[in-house]
Amino acid sequence: MKFSLSSLAGVVAFATGLAGSTMLATAQSESEGIVVYNAQHESLTEAWAAGFTKETGIKVTLRNGGDMEFANQLVQEGAASPADVYLTENSPGMALVDNANLFEPLNADTLAQVPENYRPANGHWVGVAARSTVFVYDKNKLTEDKLPKSLLDLAESSWKGRWAASPSGADFQAIVGALLQLKGEEATAAWLKAMKENFTPYKGNSTAMKAVNAGEVEGAVIYHYYYFGDQAKTGENSKNIASHYFKNEDPGAFVSVSGGGVLASSKHKEQAQAFVKWVTGKGGQEILRDGTSFEYAVGEGAASNPKLVPLADLQAPRVEPSKLDSKKVTELMTAAGLL
């Protein structure tokens, strides 16, 4: 087959055009928006992403998973990670990524939107929401005077077979992390050993709450919003229960911080910084107030859902969110036979 010079030139022009369009498509895809590794509740982050995109025009692609699943994945991926932003339900995952030096420091104006007790001192990530530890209990079996005064009381033999938790979840492990920070390794190990003897394990906080409601156990250690979320729907899984707040700076009054951070490897740092700023600002925090996640707003001066016990009234202990030691927690819970 013979080619004329003109046809050859056409092929070259076509190939050049194809290469150019491919490069253009690549450039366009790189500028399309940000990728968020999302370990927060999907519906909440979808609302955040939609609000942010509507206001800024920046597209947000969500990849959903678990706190520690993504934390370990980010450590493995390192500088090659496609993620621009990492969001969690609890802070131990943030601490793991931060300790691997994978976060870009957040802009000062973003940090200024959140009080110091809801973010680490180094400014590498920030609190985006919060949740309180509670003891949900069967109102048909327990009266207020029979409730545990402290989380530590659940280690007593009198509570054997009467309470539940979900030890495999990031939520409960964050609570153990707070206990470790507040009371030390020896006390935490002893409490976990007693827990193994006393409690009934369930997979998931919702399942543990349902078990209390069904009369299988008298109480369970979970986070507050499971009760409010069920009440906002049919209430069928929470009609027999109430929530007990330990208060008095007890380990059981621990308030867990959900975190947000920008990856140092991000190729879209300006957009990623803008997203975290938006979530911690007026728009993002109003979604917490008005939505159905029933998590606490943590922005400076931001109001939470009016159905919730005010954050200031929880009398939570002071816990440094960046120092919740997930590795030591795993070791201690494994040694106690809980994992």
Side-chain angles (χ1 to χ4, degrees):
M1 185 178 293
K2 294 182 179 179
F3 292 94
S4 67
L5 287 175
S6 59
S7 63
L8 181 60
V11 170
V12 171
F14 174 77
T16 302
L18 182 62
S21 64
T22 301
M23 291 173 64
L24 179 60
T26 301
Q28 287 174 337
S29 66
E30 288 180 352
S31 63
E32 276 182 354
I34 58 173
V35 173
V36 176
Y37 277 11
N38 176 49
Q40 246 293 352
H41 294 163
E42 292 182 24
S43 58
L44 172 59
T45 308
E46 284 169 0
W48 277 340
F52 173 72
T53 299
K54 182 178 180 180
E55 190 168 310
T56 65
I58 299 170
K59 179 182 175 183
V60 179
T61 299
L62 301 178
R63 297 186 182 177
N64 299 308
D67 278 4
M68 300 312 294
E69 172 192 353
F70 271 141
N72 286 302
Q73 182 175 329
L74 285 165
V75 171
Q76 289 291 322
E77 290 173 343
S81 178
D84 299 293
V85 172
Y86 175 41
L87 295 179
T88 64
E89 290 189 342
N90 301 284
S91 62
M94 304 300 294
L96 182 65
V97 174
D98 193 20
N99 289 337
N101 299 313
L102 296 176
F103 280 132
E104 179 81 3
L106 289 173
N107 293 337
D109 53 354
T110 298
L111 295 174
Q113 295 185 145
V114 179
E116 290 182 358
N117 52 318
Y118 299 123
R119 56 181 168 86
N122 65 14
H124 290 178
W125 58 271
V126 71
V128 295
R131 60 275 304 278
S132 174
T133 310
V134 296
F135 184 75
V136 290
Y137 64 95
D138 186 340
K139 294 183 294 185
N140 299 318
K141 294 183 177 180
L142 288 174
T143 53
E144 289 189 14
D145 60 311
K146 302 296 184 183
L147 295 171
K149 299 287 191 296
S150 167
L151 181 72
L152 301 178
D153 291 350
L154 296 174
E156 296 174 0
S157 59
S158 60
W159 280 98
K160 185 176 178 65
R162 299 172 59 197
W163 68 283
S166 177
S168 62
D171 288 354
F172 190 79
Q173 291 172 25
I175 295 169
V176 176
L179 177 61
L180 175 62
Q181 189 177 131
L182 292 165
K183 299 297 183 181
E185 184 173 337
E186 184 177 347
T188 302
W191 188 83
L192 291 172
K193 182 180 178 181
M195 173 183 169
K196 174 65 176 175
E197 296 297 318
N198 287 355
F199 94 123
T200 301
Y202 288 90
K203 189 169 180 60
N205 285 328
S206 292
T207 308
M209 183 181 73
K210 289 177 184 179
V212 177
N213 188 67
E216 295 175 21
V217 286
E218 293 177 33
V221 176
I222 62 172
Y223 282 146
H224 77 278
Y225 57 82
Y226 290 94
Y227 170 81
F228 289 99
D230 189 72
Q231 286 284 301
K233 297 175 184 175
T234 64
E236 62 182 320
N237 297 311
S238 58
K239 61 184 178 181
N240 297 321
I241 68 176
S243 298
H244 171 53
Y245 294 81
F246 290 101
K247 299 188 176 182
N248 300 311
E249 298 186 4
D250 188 80
F254 165 61
V255 170
S256 182
V257 177
S258 302
V262 173
L263 278 302
S265 57
S266 170
K267 295 179 175 62
H268 313 100
K269 287 178 183 168
E270 185 176 346
Q271 296 97 319
Q273 291 273 2
F275 178 75
V276 177
K277 182 180 180 181
W278 192 90
V279 167
T280 55
K282 183 175 183 290
Q285 297 297 289
E286 285 184 349
I287 285 173
L288 287 169
R289 182 194 68 195
D290 301 334
T292 57
S293 71
F294 294 101
E295 294 189 60
Y296 283 99
V298 295
E300 195 73 59
S304 296
N305 190 298
K307 292 184 178 180
L308 304 182
V309 177
L311 268 174
D313 294 346
L314 295 177
Q315 299 173 17
R318 186 64 184 259
V319 172
E320 173 51 57
S322 65
K323 294 181 179 178
L324 293 178
D325 191 341
S326 58
K327 182 179 179 181
K328 178 57 69 174
V329 165
T330 300
E331 290 175 1
L332 291 172
M333 292 185 70
T334 301
L338 295 167
L339 295 178

